């Protein structure tokens, strides 16, 4: 089945089966960008099939790195540190990760280029990119208000010490990628610990990166060497099925070869007290990343408060948690998640809108929601707001609603998880 822009979701009575997911979006972006900079040919298995990572591949291709797709891998021929000036502006599509992290790579390259995105990306904040890269010596221009397109003129960079004002793994990563190519040492200090895939990927490609508490340092001038890697299954994609399973006591699900990096697996810690027991059946390390098989079994769905550092760790999973919140016994409070307002859509507003369409009571705050528990929702017409995680979150909520739900703009799911609709049909027992 190809993804349609509308999907009808029927209620389910259970979630059961075994799931194997395509490669993690965050890790795929990083491996592709570092592969382009490295010496030699990098072979990546289980690379993300999402449109966002395809945007990254197209950009590095336009920057001179040859990308060859074979049946079971993607080969990227690295350029040994110096990329080529692209013939045209770089299209980042819907992908904030592509635009932001690639900026760190481009800041040290000997040419100017422009990066642009779709309507949603054109509204997203880029001052967080401009500030550190300008301090390092690059010239970075945005449109009025600090929005894309970005115009980057590379320069010989100097290392800086930079405290990221918001907890953002993308900002940390772009500073590290620029720091790798700068003169001297670059130190990034983050207010809260965010996903550490860039640190692990840089090490896998042969660079030395040090961490002491929330300070990460990298010495400039290090050369990267190509790797062979398997990209772990995307735990943020698994999140939709973990939450779907949590909706039905007695559900049980096995997730194979999924990324279990502790900076990404906070959802398991939140779902456990909510009633979803999980156990790690196998665990291996590949290139610093943990990959394992996860088994989950659902009990009664209880409520929970998510706030502070936990909200930052769970930023991509909060929409689906909020979407199942009305079905919890005691309700949910989700706060300290103001960053959700500047994602692919204003996710705080989009979740409130769709919960209300399904008849739920919800109080919206600037930084999250309060959702009473024990509610009964009905099928409705859902607006994905063009946002992949909103489309998938409400497909999950629809599984326990009364009547059918129509997800409008369902094809947005292909940004991170093109196989979502087929997988949902396979795992939902009706
Ligand atoms: C990402 C970091 C997060 C996340 C995004 C992917 C990454 O964004 O929401 O989906 O791969 O580093 P921020 O860095 O803006 O928090």
């Amino acid at each position: 089945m190809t993804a349609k822009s509308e999907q009808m979701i029927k209620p389910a009575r259970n979630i059961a089966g075994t799931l194997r997911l395509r490669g993690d979006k965050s890790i795929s972006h990083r491996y592709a960008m570092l592969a382009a900079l490295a010496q030699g040919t990098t072979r990546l298995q289980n690379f993300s099939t999402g449109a966002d990572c395809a945007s990254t591949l197209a950009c590095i291709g336009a920057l001179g790195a040859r990308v060859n797709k074979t049946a079971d891998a993607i080969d990227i021929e690295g350029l040994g540190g110096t990329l080529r000036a692209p013939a045209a502006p770089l299209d980042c599509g819907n992908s904030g990760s592509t635009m932001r992290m690639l900026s760190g790579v481009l800041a040290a390259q000997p040419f100017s280029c422009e990066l642009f995105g779709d309507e949603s990306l054109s509204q997203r904040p880029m001052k967080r990119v401009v500030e550190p890269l300008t301090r390092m010596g690059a010239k970075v221009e945005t449109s009025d208000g600090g929005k894309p397109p970005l115009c980057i003129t590379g320069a010989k960079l100097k290392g800086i010490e930079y405290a990221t004002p918001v907890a953002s793994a993308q900002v940390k990563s772009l500073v590290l990628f620029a720091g790798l190519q700068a003169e001297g040492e670059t130190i990034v200090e983050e207010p809260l610990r965010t996903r550490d895939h860039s640190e692990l990927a840089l090490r896998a490609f042969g660079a030395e990166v040090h961490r002491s508490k929330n300070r990460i340092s990298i010495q400039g001038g290090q050369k990267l060497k190509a790797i062979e890697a398997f990209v772990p299954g995307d735990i943020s994609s698994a999140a939709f099925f973990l939450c779907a399973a949590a909706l039905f006591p007695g559900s049980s699900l096995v997730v194979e070869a999924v990324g279990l990096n502790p900076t990404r697996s906070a959802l398991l810690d939140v779902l456990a007290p909510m009633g979803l027991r999980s156990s790690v059946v196998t665990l291996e390390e590949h290139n610093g990343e943990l990959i394992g098989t996860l088994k989950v079994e659902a009990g009664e769905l209880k409520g929970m408060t998510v706030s502070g550092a936990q909200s930052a760790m769970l930023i991509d999973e909060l929409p689906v948690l909020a979407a199942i919140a009305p079905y919890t016994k005691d309700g949910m409070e989700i706060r300290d998640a103001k960053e959700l307002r500047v994602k692919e859509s204003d996710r705080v507003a989009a979740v409130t809108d769709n919960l209300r369409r399904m008849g739920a009571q919800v109080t919206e705050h600037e930084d999250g929601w309060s959702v009473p528990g024990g509610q009964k929702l009905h099928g409705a017409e859902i607006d994905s707001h063009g946002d992949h995680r909103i489309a998938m979150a409400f497909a999950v909520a629809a599984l326990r609603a009364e009547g059918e739900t129509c997800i409008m703009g369902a094809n947005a799911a292909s940004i991170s998880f093109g196989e979502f609709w087929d997988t949902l049909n396979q795992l939902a027992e009706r």
Side-chain angles (χ1 to χ4, degrees):
M1 184 177 73
T2 50
K4 290 180 289 184
S5 60
E6 287 175 28
Q7 292 280 347
M8 291 301 294
I9 310 294
K10 291 194 177 73
R13 51 183 178 82
N14 205 25
I15 296 290
T18 297
L19 180 60
R20 201 172 241 275
L21 295 156
R22 289 307 302 239
D24 186 86
K25 175 163 92 70
S26 292
I27 299 173
S28 295
H29 283 301
R30 286 156 170 87
Y31 282 174
M33 289 180 199
L34 296 182
L37 280 179
Q39 187 95 53
T41 300
T42 287
R43 170 156 292 192
L44 302 174
Q45 284 183 307
N46 203 40
F47 193 82
S48 165
T49 47
D52 268 11
C53 293
S55 294
T56 288
L57 290 179
C59 287
I60 62 165
L63 289 161
R66 202 170 288 154
V67 179
N68 301 307
K69 292 184 192 168
T70 62
D72 61 351
I74 290 187
D75 290 341
I76 300 172
E77 290 177 33
L79 292 160
T82 309
L83 308 181
R84 297 201 200 110
L90 297 172
D91 186 353
C92 301
N94 189 245
S95 175
S97 300
T98 305
M99 185 172 282
R100 294 194 179 120
M101 294 196 285
L102 203 54
S103 300
V105 172
L106 293 171
Q109 297 296 319
F111 50 79
S112 295
C113 71
E114 190 181 305
L115 298 97
F116 69 99
D118 68 5
E119 212 182 311
S120 148
L121 182 52
S122 300
Q123 294 308 314
R124 297 184 65 188
M126 293 297 150
K127 272 191 190 141
R128 54 185 73 184
V129 173
V130 178
E131 208 187 279
L133 294 181
T134 306
R135 274 188 54 201
M136 295 178 89
K139 190 168 154 203
V140 186
E141 291 160 300
T142 61
S143 75
D144 283 352
K147 306 272 169 72
L150 281 182
C151 188
I152 303 186
T153 304
K156 276 203 178 343
L157 303 180
K158 53 181 188 316
I160 57 166
E161 189 166 335
Y162 189 68
T164 58
V166 280
S168 163
Q170 291 176 357
V171 175
K172 169 178 65 177
S173 303
L174 74 92
V175 178
L176 292 176
F177 292 174
L180 171 77
Q181 306 171 85
E183 201 180 275
E185 189 186 32
T186 293
I187 300 172
V188 191
E189 183 163 352
E190 43 183 0
L192 300 166
R193 188 150 189 199
T194 63
R195 63 191 74 190
D196 65 356
H197 305 303
S198 293
E199 296 90 308
L200 299 178
L202 281 161
R203 284 193 195 125
F205 278 87
E208 269 187 42
V209 180
H210 298 284
R211 162 182 286 276
S212 164
K213 295 201 177 120
N214 286 359
R215 283 165 73 83
I216 306 108
S217 62
I218 187 164
Q219 194 64 41
Q222 301 186 68
K223 296 280 170 252
L224 302 183
K225 281 202 272 324
I227 61 167
E228 285 200 8
F230 174 87
V231 184
D234 195 324
I235 192 165
S236 296
S237 296
F240 298 102
F241 296 102
L242 299 177
C243 287
L247 287 177
F248 303 99
S251 284
S252 96
L253 194 61
V254 174
V255 192
E256 294 177 339
V258 67
L260 291 171
N261 179 319
T263 63
R264 287 288 298 288
S265 56
L267 183 66
L268 299 175
D269 304 331
V270 168
L271 288 177
M274 289 175 68
L276 191 78
R277 286 183 303 279
S278 61
S279 52
V280 176
V281 183
T282 65
L283 193 63
E284 287 171 34
E285 194 198 307
H286 290 266
N287 294 299
E289 294 287 352
L290 294 179
I291 303 182
T293 300
L294 192 65
K295 188 163 188 243
V296 300
E297 280 167 10
E300 188 193 23
L301 184 60
K302 301 194 196 77
M304 176 84 178
T305 294
V306 181
S307 62
Q310 206 161 37
S311 292
M313 304 269 285
L314 277 171
I315 200 74
D316 291 339
E317 289 76 39
L318 294 180
V320 65
L321 267 179
I324 65 167
Y327 301 115
T328 59
K329 191 164 150 262
D330 345 82
M332 289 193 74
E333 179 84 11
I334 300 177
R335 303 302 293 268
D336 301 319
K338 210 169 142 203
E339 272 292 298
L340 288 177
R341 296 222 178 250
V342 291
K343 294 291 180 189
E344 286 83 331
S345 67
D346 175 344
R347 287 181 174 162
V348 178
V351 164
T352 307
D353 168 34
N354 286 315
L355 280 177
R356 288 191 179 141
R357 285 172 186 238
M358 297 181 79
Q361 269 184 46
V362 48
T363 304
E364 181 178 317
H365 308 285
E366 187 50 29
D367 65 345
W369 314 267
S370 307
V371 187
Q375 302 191 52
K376 281 197 165 55
L377 271 51
H378 56 72
E381 193 175 286
I382 293 298
D383 180 356
S384 75
H385 294 249
D387 184 330
H388 55 132
R389 298 205 197 279
I390 299 297
M392 294 186 278
F394 281 88
V396 172
L399 297 174
R400 235 184 88 170
E402 220 163 88
E404 291 192 3
T405 295
C406 180
I407 313 281
M408 310 291 289
N411 52 352
S414 63
I415 285 296
S416 60
F417 193 1
E419 307 80 8
F420 175 78
W421 305 104
D422 285 344
T423 312
L424 185 67
N425 278 330
Q426 281 155 20
L427 298 179
E429 294 185 345
R430 294 194 158 104

